[in-house]
Amino acid sequence: MIYEGKQKIWSEYQKEIPDDHYFYVRSCIRQSFFPASEAAFLDITRKKLGKDIFETEHHTTCGGIAYHSDAIPQETVMTIIARQFALMAKYGYENYVCSCITSFGLYCETLETWREFPELQKKIAETLWKTCRLDFAKPKYIVHASDLIYHYRNQIAALAKHKLINVHTGEPLRVVEHIGCHYSKMFPSKGVGGAEYPYVLAGMVEACGGTVVDYPERRHCCGFGFRQYFIKANRGYSLSNTYKKFESMEPYHPDFIVTNCPGCPYFMDRWQYVIAEETGKTYGEGSHGIPVLTYEEMMGLVLGYDPWDLGLQTHQVGAEPLLDKMGIQYDPERKYLGAKGKDIGRPACPSCIR
Amino acid sequence: MRNNVLIIGGGPAGLEAGANLQRLGYNVLLVEHSNTLGGHLGKWDRLFPGGTPASAALDKLLGSMDGVKCFTDTEIQSINRLGKSYNVILSNGITVLADAVLVATGFDLFQAEKKEEYGYGIYDHVITNADLELYFKTGLDTRINAPRKIGFVHCVGSRDEKSGCRSCSKVCCATAVKQACEMKAAFPDAQIYCFYMDLRMFGRHYEDMYLEAQRDYGIRFIRGRVAEVSENIDGSLSVKAEDTVSSKPLKVSLDLLVLMAGMRPSVSGQRIGSLLGMQNEKDGYFEVLSEITAQQRSSIPGIFLAGAATGPKTIPDTLADARGAATQIDKYLSDIFPKAKDLKQLIKTAW
Amino acid sequence: MVDFGYGLLASSRINLDLFDKGKFDSLAAEEPDVRKCIACGSCTAVCTAGKFTPTSLRAAIEELQNGRDEVAMNMLKGCQLCGKCTMVCPRGINTRHLILSIAKIYSKKK
Amino acid sequence: MGKLYDLLMRDYRLKEGLNACINCGTCTAVCPAAEFYRYDPRRIVDIVQSKDEEEIEKLLRSDTIWYCGECMSCVTRCPRKNAPGMIVMALRSLSIDLGYFIDSEKGRQQFLLTKDLCSNVLNYGYCVYPRLFDYAGHPEAGRVWEWEEKHLDDVFERLGANLDGSGPGAMRKIPKEDLDELKRIFDETGATARMENVRKAAEKKAAELGLSMEEFSRQVYSETGPQHYNH
């Protein structure tokens, strides 16, 4: 593999990411399964970097998951999106940062459709006024939260307490980066690095001393597939696609996986558990799996946040081997505590994976 | 006094037109921006359908150039209409008054790295058709290492709106079949695949070449465009396509992948076009006065076109086009600059 | 062990790495014309059996080369050897003969 | 030009997503569904562009259009700038609007998806709401979720979330006036009507099958026939 070839492509896909003053919109899945990741994002951007990231309790889901499960029509999702944009303008912002990749893709798609069909935009603006009494507005810039962390990767790396380096060997950690499909597959120019060799996560990994593993099924979907997961009868699809990725990355022995989509880390974590339970196979060392992190968790570890404050205990695949490699001190006794040190028991151990 | 004709571009079209115009009695000046004559032909090893050595064809063209003045490493600096003629200033300081100009600026090979998902310039064993020709000529290319499984990807940068080219590059199908057979001959144990969408075997003997490739060389033709290439841990390539005949996605590991990079309008030609104020069509190639009856004429009087400057062409197409251009130029010059004997004739008729 | 109620699905992707070149070469040694197929579909279009059962010589030849011998054999199971395909093949392949040779080389019982 | 094709062409996703397809198969080559289901997105695009009413109707009533996971990997690949995934979305919308979805096993799943996701959006303002994400229905969520589900408030509090709380924060309670706006959007843009249509069609189908709605739901949620797969 010729690294310079990728660098050339990366240099061609550098989107504009404003430095400051963002209207922040959360992700349904990230809030449900990785709430600490959103907390870490806000802590890093607001406290460590001193940025203005505004959130209002009045924003809602973008409706993307319902839309991609074909539960609601396109006009509905577009109006919900218009409502989010209108809230942004109402609070005096023009830069929009969202936590969800499905949302990000949908925003890009919606803006493109409005651009191509102004009559539709007009109709949505009218519906927005009729239903919410809000004035139609469009953001000047839309970025995904991972774009913003990418934008500040070197500043964050300068504050790092830990590097993505194996403290025992001195070697860079081998990282699989998994990009959510809707980040740039529909609109390559909207993603840092484009669709084929996205750089948004790779850039963070490199800035923090790690090395990126490129394996054959790198671009393949995690297998979420919306309805393909929500309906139990379809879950074989979802499981099988993740399996395909793990089989492909196995020979590279990655130390961990980092993701920018909220759904992918859930699936790539939990399907390892199911594969282990059903087939006995695990992909990490010994009976361990490969830890799957959100980019906020990865950067949080680098910045020295407590792994259990970052929520790594809510992953099924244990992060301990990674923490050990990074030389991060952690207290196993605190892992499953509730707030204020409350004892809330601990999960049962899976039979085949740690 | 003999008329001056300026030819811009020293590839097959320029050479063939130059030789013919010289024979017709004109003063021909050929200007080539690179340091050698022959264009892409000079970089090719063998030509389809019969496997004629490219060097033999080029030698033949160069051998007929007696008397044609050629400037290599020379650019056109300016070109302006002056009366019936064109005043042309060259980068070597020479000024020419040309009574007719032939634009034979050819094509550029599509930059295969732009088709990002194929990984040219990123994966260790992905090469282009041009790289393979150079390998045939020199036997040198570290990317080619006793391959046992080889793939050819048709339509790279052709018939692809995402890489800015909707049209067919015409020569790639036949080139792929030719190169596939040559590779089989070079590596008899290799299994070779061609991934195509439509096999455009339009020329005489081309279909025979296709049949031979199937029957005698055992080349497997798979109808499906390659969607994605990735590199395996051992450096081999993993290629994905649909076998549209079976309606199923397909995967194969290969040791070498050859991209049939198509033709794009040449960048240097674009520059000449803008100096002349010549129109391009949407596809970037020069507009001709009539696609059917005046292929070698531009819309500007005295400016003629030949070869791949007006769209993808095979070598014989190009040579025929160049001869056509020579005839057209001859006709134009004798109409616009009647010679002495013509003048006598004219007077006779007029009086 | 947890019963999830679903499991891994079998992949139906063609994997050309599984292609049995030796077997196909022995077919081609007997029937060189098998390599001449251009997948035009004339045989399948006129196939008498194809109207009632999934019979297709074109698909069968393709599948043999895709390393899916069993799928290919199923595509020929319904063949009546009527020979209409021989009449229409633009490459002049003796299709009846070819089908018999395929059956001989690829059939399991031997 | 036939009726179904015209209806499809009213969908912006088709207006944007269908240029002349050249059947090259790049969509199918990378499609996550094509490997595991009897599914070929290329064929779908080809059928739509053929304008063959009979074939389009068959498609709308079939399992085929429900295999796609809407990952849109196909969109990156198409050399004609088609969006097969978007075309599938338009087909699904029409299949739902015409009530054809209820004819196929995979289409019937729309009943549960519409019911659950829409009620999540309308009741909570989220597509996914952790209190409704049960371990019993999602055993793959793992032992860790089995534990987390029991201690949701404690875990969320420890992780800096604001579960069902006021003001901003992760999984906060979204104010009533905002949920009312979502409801009005649903009413105005056809989502409420879609919910009703889907529910009625499902009730009719359940009655036809002689199943109670609970039995019907269970069947739709868990059962899958062998016809979807290649082996």
Side-chain angles (χ1 to χ4, degrees):
Chain A
M1 195 115 31
I2 305 156
Y3 186 74
E4 293 72 27
K6 284 189 193 175
Q7 279 179 315
K8 210 173 135 207
I9 290 176
W10 293 334
S11 67
E12 280 163 22
Y13 290 96
Q14 288 300 329
K15 67 188 245 186
E16 211 175 330
I17 303 167
D19 286 338
D20 202 356
H21 305 299
Y22 281 93
F23 183 79
Y24 179 59
V25 174
R26 291 180 183 270
S27 143
C28 299
I29 292 186
R30 209 184 293 278
Q31 286 173 93
S32 297
F33 298 105
F34 308 98
S37 286
E38 291 197 344
F41 172 78
L42 290 174
D43 201 74
I44 293 170
T45 50
R46 285 173 177 168
K47 301 218 176 103
K48 306 260 183 211
L49 302 170
K51 302 299 166 189
D52 166 30
I53 312 286
F54 175 81
E55 181 193 2
T56 168
E57 67 267 39
H58 298 295
H59 84 273
T60 65
T61 177
C62 74
I65 291 174
Y67 172 64
H68 281 296
S69 302
D70 310 282
I72 58 174
Q74 190 179 29
E75 248 184 79
T76 309
V77 84
M78 281 186 169
T79 313
I80 300 176
I81 288 170
R83 183 182 174 277
Q84 309 270 75
F85 290 168
L87 286 175
M88 172 203 69
K90 187 177 146 185
Y91 288 103
Y93 286 83
E94 51 184 18
N95 303 330
Y96 192 99
V97 57
C98 59
S99 172
C100 175
I101 290 286
T102 302
S103 302
F104 179 73
L106 201 45
Y107 295 143
C108 295
E109 181 201 331
T110 298
L111 289 169
E112 177 61 22
T113 308
W114 287 347
R115 195 188 57 76
E116 203 174 327
F117 302 100
E119 75 280 7
L120 179 63
Q121 176 179 316
K122 192 163 163 271
K123 190 178 172 198
I124 299 291
E126 285 164 11
T127 311
L128 177 68
W129 177 254
K130 194 171 165 193
T131 52
C132 307
R133 289 285 179 266
L134 284 167
D135 290 319
F136 183 84
K138 289 199 267 188
K140 198 166 167 198
Y141 293 98
I142 288 194
V143 305
H144 182 255
S146 63
D147 292 334
L148 207 51
I149 297 294
Y150 164 82
H151 189 60
Y152 286 110
R153 66 195 183 284
N154 294 323
Q155 249 172 280
I156 294 171
L159 302 171
K161 298 242 173 21
H162 305 282
K163 296 230 155 208
L164 297 178
I165 287 175
N166 187 324
V167 293
H168 308 294
T169 64
E171 292 290 314
L173 291 178
R174 304 170 58 77
V175 188
V176 155
E177 39 96 39
H178 177 80
I179 304 290
C181 291
H182 291 195
Y183 175 67
S184 60
K185 281 185 179 174
M186 291 183 280
F187 301 97
S189 65
K190 306 282 187 212
V192 175
E196 303 299 341
Y197 309 93
Y199 191 57
V200 60
L201 294 175
M204 292 180 209
V205 169
E206 289 180 354
C208 297
T211 180
V212 170
V213 167
D214 194 345
Y215 63 107
E217 295 293 354
R218 170 176 55 79
R219 303 167 176 107
H220 199 71
C221 173
C222 71
F224 174 18
F226 303 96
R227 63 185 307 111
Q228 312 300 349
Y229 175 68
F230 288 129
I231 301 293
K232 186 176 170 184
N234 302 343
R235 284 180 196 155
Y237 163 109
S238 189
L239 175 67
S240 303
N241 279 297
T242 290
Y243 177 70
K244 181 168 158 175
K245 287 186 75 74
F246 277 92
E247 286 293 302
S248 173
M249 74 174 80
E250 185 183 15
Y252 298 82
H253 305 295
D255 294 305
F256 72 99
I257 299 166
V258 62
T259 55
N260 71 341
C261 180
C264 310
Y266 171 82
F267 293 105
M268 295 177 83
D269 179 70
R270 300 313 206 270
W271 291 137
Q272 283 191 77
Y273 159 68
V274 175
I275 292 165
E277 291 289 316
E278 290 193 345
T279 70
K281 181 156 190 182
T282 52
Y283 293 92
E285 292 128 36
S287 57
H288 287 285
I290 304 174
V292 189
L293 306 186
T294 66
Y295 60 94
E296 299 103 318
E297 289 166 348
M298 175 178 79
M299 293 313 242
L301 289 179
V302 163
L303 285 168
Y305 288 61
D306 183 283
W308 316 136
D309 289 343
L310 285 169
L312 296 186
Q313 68 275 34
T314 64
H315 297 218
Q316 189 61 64
V317 173
E320 283 84 349
L322 171 66
L323 302 178
D324 293 338
K325 284 176 200 166
M326 287 177 72
I328 293 174
Q329 301 290 316
Y330 56 91
D331 181 357
E333 294 306 313
R334 288 193 65 243
K335 184 171 179 182
Y336 293 109
L337 295 179
K340 298 170 202 99
K342 184 178 168 190
D343 182 359
I344 50 172
R346 52 175 56 227
C349 279
S351 33
C352 296
I353 193 168
R354 283 192 284 161
Chain B
M1 213 191 76
R2 299 199 301 170
N3 292 111
N4 292 332
V5 182
L6 172 73
I7 297 177
I8 306 173
L15 297 178
E16 180 71 357
N20 280 276
L21 286 162
Q22 184 76 21
R23 284 291 302 271
L24 288 167
Y26 297 101
N27 261 333
V28 183
L29 175 65
L30 188 148
V31 175
E32 163 63 36
H33 74 111
S34 78
N35 60 5
T36 44
L37 295 175
H40 295 275
L41 183 60
K43 298 171 190 147
W44 233 245
D45 184 50
R46 281 170 190 277
L47 305 176
F48 63 77
T52 308
S55 56
L58 183 55
D59 289 347
K60 186 124 209 288
L61 289 174
L62 293 170
S64 319
M65 293 286 287
D66 274 352
V68 178
K69 271 191 291 298
C70 295
F71 292 133
T72 52
D73 276 325
T74 306
E75 298 273 3
I76 306 292
Q77 281 199 330
S78 72
I79 182 161
N80 293 298
R81 185 101 200 178
L82 191 69
K84 291 182 193 175
S85 309
Y86 287 89
N87 189 45
V88 185
I89 302 174
L90 304 179
S91 59
N92 56 11
I94 292 172
T95 300
V96 188
L97 196 64
D99 301 318
V101 177
L102 176 66
V103 176
T105 47
F107 67 94
D108 285 347
L109 214 58
F110 173 74
Q111 290 175 292
E113 60 268 31
K114 288 199 171 150
K115 200 74 192 137
E116 295 165 22
E117 61 267 43
Y118 294 164
Y120 181 71
I122 294 179
Y123 304 142
D124 294 335
H125 298 287
V126 179
I127 64 170
T128 63
N129 40 5
D131 296 335
L132 188 55
E133 288 295 331
L134 193 64
Y135 169 77
F136 288 144
K137 273 172 87 100
T138 62
L140 299 172
D141 193 322
T142 51
R143 294 168 293 188
I144 303 171
N145 187 13
R148 297 185 61 85
K149 292 203 281 181
I150 306 168
F152 285 83
V153 186
H154 294 222
C155 301
V156 176
S158 308
R159 305 180 71 199
D160 182 358
E161 301 199 10
K162 288 215 177 112
S163 49
C165 180
R166 184 183 297 166
S167 55
C168 167
S169 291
K170 202 171 181 178
V171 301
C172 326
C173 279
T175 303
V177 174
K178 178 200 79 117
Q179 292 187 340
C181 295
E182 289 173 299
M183 282 306 266
K184 181 72 183 176
F187 303 99
D189 292 333
Q191 174 65 46
I192 299 181
Y193 303 97
C194 283
F195 292 91
Y196 72 100
M197 294 196 287
D198 300 283
L199 265 186
R200 300 195 161 176
M201 294 286 129
F202 58 93
R204 189 177 180 192
H205 302 312
Y206 295 6
E207 193 70 20
D208 302 337
M209 193 169 70
Y210 172 32
L211 182 64
E212 275 169 33
Q214 289 181 292
R215 190 190 53 205
D216 305 337
Y217 293 90
I219 313 287
R220 167 91 196 275
F221 289 85
I222 296 170
R223 196 203 168 278
R225 187 190 189 97
V226 168
E228 190 176 293
V229 181
S230 35
E231 195 172 271
N232 297 319
I233 196 159
D234 62 359
S236 65
L237 299 157
S238 183
V239 172
K240 290 182 190 175
E242 181 193 357
D243 175 3
T244 60
V245 174
S246 304
S247 274
K248 273 281 132 203
L250 169 154
K251 193 193 95 165
V252 62
S253 320
L254 300 174
D255 304 319
L256 180 69
L257 191 67
V258 187
L259 307 180
M260 306 313 293
M263 292 188 187
R264 305 294 299 128
S266 79
V267 172
S268 55
Q270 301 296 304
R271 201 186 133 259
I272 301 299
S274 60
L275 285 179
L276 284 164
M278 218 160 29
Q279 292 296 309
N280 293 338
E281 285 195 46
K282 249 197 208 147
D283 62 9
Y285 291 105
F286 292 121
E287 193 178 72
V288 297
L289 203 57
S290 161
E291 245 178 342
I292 308 295
T293 56
Q295 262 224 76
Q296 295 95 3
R297 283 164 64 186
S298 77
S299 51
I300 306 172
I303 307 291
F304 295 82
L305 298 153
T310 58
K313 286 178 187 62
T314 63
I315 294 285
D317 280 354
T318 295
L319 300 182
D321 200 43
R323 291 190 284 271
T327 315
Q328 293 284 314
I329 290 170
D330 179 49
K331 180 173 175 294
Y332 166 81
L333 291 175
S334 42
D335 285 351
I336 304 299
F337 301 89
K339 288 174 191 153
K341 83 167 178 213
D342 299 326
L343 195 63
K344 269 185 203 158
Q345 190 63 37
L346 279 172
I347 290 165
K348 213 184 256 176
T349 325
W351 285 88
Chain C
M1 288 271 185
V2 184
D3 176 20
F4 297 99
Y6 52 84
L8 289 169
L9 302 175
S11 165
S12 62
R13 178 163 70 172
I14 296 163
N15 182 353
L16 284 184
D17 299 343
L18 302 177
F19 167 56
D20 187 341
K21 189 168 175 293
K23 213 165 186 183
F24 192 80
D25 282 348
S26 59
L27 174 66
E30 203 158 308
E31 294 280 348
D33 279 3
V34 68
R35 296 198 196 273
K36 284 164 57 178
C37 172
I38 51 172
C40 71
S42 303
C43 51
T44 309
V46 298
C47 178
T48 315
K51 291 186 179 64
F52 310 101
T53 63
T55 304
S56 166
L57 178 58
R58 153 176 124 136
I61 294 173
E62 192 80 7
E63 297 296 13
L64 287 179
Q65 296 177 84
N66 285 342
R68 304 206 301 171
D69 302 352
E70 213 173 302
V71 180
M73 293 306 279
N74 280 330
M75 296 272 184
L76 297 177
K77 249 185 355 202
C79 172
Q80 311 291 310
L81 291 174
C82 74
K84 267 170 89 178
C85 44
T86 304
M87 292 162 64
V88 296
C89 179
R91 277 276 168 99
I93 301 173
N94 184 341
T95 51
R96 285 180 83 232
H97 204 269
L98 172 61
I99 291 166
L100 288 169
S101 298
I102 293 172
K104 197 172 78 188
I105 291 169
Y106 284 88
S107 89
K108 272 190 182 145
K109 39 183 193 286
K110 236 199 304 188
Chain D
M1 243 196 285
K3 196 165 140 283
L4 291 172
Y5 181 79
D6 292 345
L7 287 172
L8 277 172
M9 281 315 285
R10 283 192 207 162
D11 195 305
Y12 287 97
R13 291 167 293 200
L14 252 173
K15 286 182 204 182
E16 278 185 298
L18 181 63
N19 304 298
C21 161
I22 49 175
N23 273 292
C24 71
T26 46
C27 48
T28 303
V30 295
C31 174
E35 181 170 350
F36 301 108
Y37 288 131
R38 283 179 198 249
Y39 182 61
D40 185 349
R42 172 183 59 84
R43 287 280 302 137
I44 292 186
V45 178
D46 200 36
I47 288 171
V48 172
Q49 78 172 3
S50 76
K51 303 183 188 175
D52 183 329
E53 284 293 294
E54 206 179 306
E55 286 294 317
I56 293 174
E57 184 175 336
K58 254 197 248 168
L59 206 53
L60 293 171
R61 293 185 188 277
S62 71
D63 282 312
T64 312
I65 54 171
W66 304 101
Y67 294 144
C68 164
E70 301 190 10
C71 71
M72 305 295 164
S73 301
C74 48
V75 177
T76 326
R77 297 279 172 259
C78 178
R80 277 284 173 91
K81 297 184 180 171
N82 293 312
M86 294 285 174
I87 294 170
V88 167
M89 290 182 81
L91 285 162
R92 288 174 174 185
S93 280
L94 186 60
S95 175
I96 293 165
D97 291 345
L98 297 173
Y100 293 174
F101 73 100
I102 209 72
D103 290 351
S104 67
E105 184 195 297
K106 297 285 181 196
R108 286 198 274 283
Q109 296 171 344
Q110 220 44 42
F111 165 60
L112 291 177
L113 290 163
T114 307
K115 181 166 77 75
D116 294 347
L117 291 167
C118 290
S119 69
N120 282 353
V121 172
L122 292 173
N123 296 335
Y124 304 102
Y126 301 107
C127 282
V128 179
Y129 181 60
R131 290 198 203 277
L132 295 180
F133 194 86
D134 60 327
Y135 174 70
H138 303 86
E140 66 283 342
R143 296 301 195 182
V144 72
W145 187 260
E146 182 186 32
W147 163 80
E148 196 176 340
E149 186 188 19
K150 286 187 203 131
H151 306 285
L152 215 51
D153 291 287
D154 286 312
V155 174
F156 269 62
E157 192 187 344
R158 163 135 196 222
L159 299 183
N162 185 17
L163 182 58
D164 295 328
S166 59
M171 236 53 233
R172 74 218 174 273
K173 187 173 177 58
I174 290 176
K176 172 90 173 46
E177 69 257 34
D178 300 310
L179 297 179
D180 290 345
E181 289 185 4
L182 288 182
K183 177 71 170 80
R184 286 201 292 276
I185 291 174
F186 265 51
D187 292 346
E188 189 63 27
T189 57
T192 308
R194 178 180 284 196
M195 286 166 68
E196 273 304 288
N197 288 343
V198 168
R199 185 181 57 80
K200 279 188 198 145
E203 283 170 2
K204 193 166 156 245
K205 188 72 193 181
E208 254 175 61
L209 296 170
L211 298 171
S212 71
M213 284 317 280
E214 288 71 36
E215 289 165 334
F216 180 73
S217 298
R218 205 176 314 124
Q219 192 186 76
V220 164
Y221 186 63
S222 328
E223 288 182 19
T224 178
Q227 71 273 21
H228 311 297
Y229 313 106
N230 289 276
H231 298 286

